[in-house]
């Protein structure tokens, strides 16, 4: 779970710094489609780098649980499903 959250935060950070989807994908070793998917879900969850950067991991996991679910549904802890 933490690894995926770290990648999401890095995608948001690198995109905010002006890097293209292709540059972000190359920097993180993921596909451009994965970057685009993370960004699409981040927009839907109203998650920005400015917002994510001010949260601790604990706050991000608890306060951002809906955003976490929308950003990475496969990594959603089972205890949050339906809650």
């Amino acid at each position: 779970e933490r690894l995926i959250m770290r990648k999401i935060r890095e995608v948001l950070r690198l995109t905010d710094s002006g890097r293209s989807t292709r540059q972000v994908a190359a920097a993180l070793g993921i596909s451009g489609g994965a970057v685009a998917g993370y960004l699409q879900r981040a927009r839907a969850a109203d998650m920005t780098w400015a917002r994510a950067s001010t949260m601790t991991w604990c706050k991000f996991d608890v306060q951002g649980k809906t955003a976490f679910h929308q950003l990475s549904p496969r990594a959603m802890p089972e205890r949050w499903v339906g809650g």
Side-chain angles (χ1 to χ4, degrees), residues 40-51:
Q40 181 180 13
R41 291 181 189 96
R43 279 189 291 276
D46 196 32
M47 182 61 64
T48 62
W49 170 243
R51 184 172 163 218

Side-chain angles (χ1 to χ4, degrees), residues 4 8 10 32 40 46-47 59 67 71:
I4 291 172
I8 292 168
E10 280 300 292
Q40 181 180 13
D46 196 32
M47 182 61 64
K59 281 185 179 177
L71 289 169

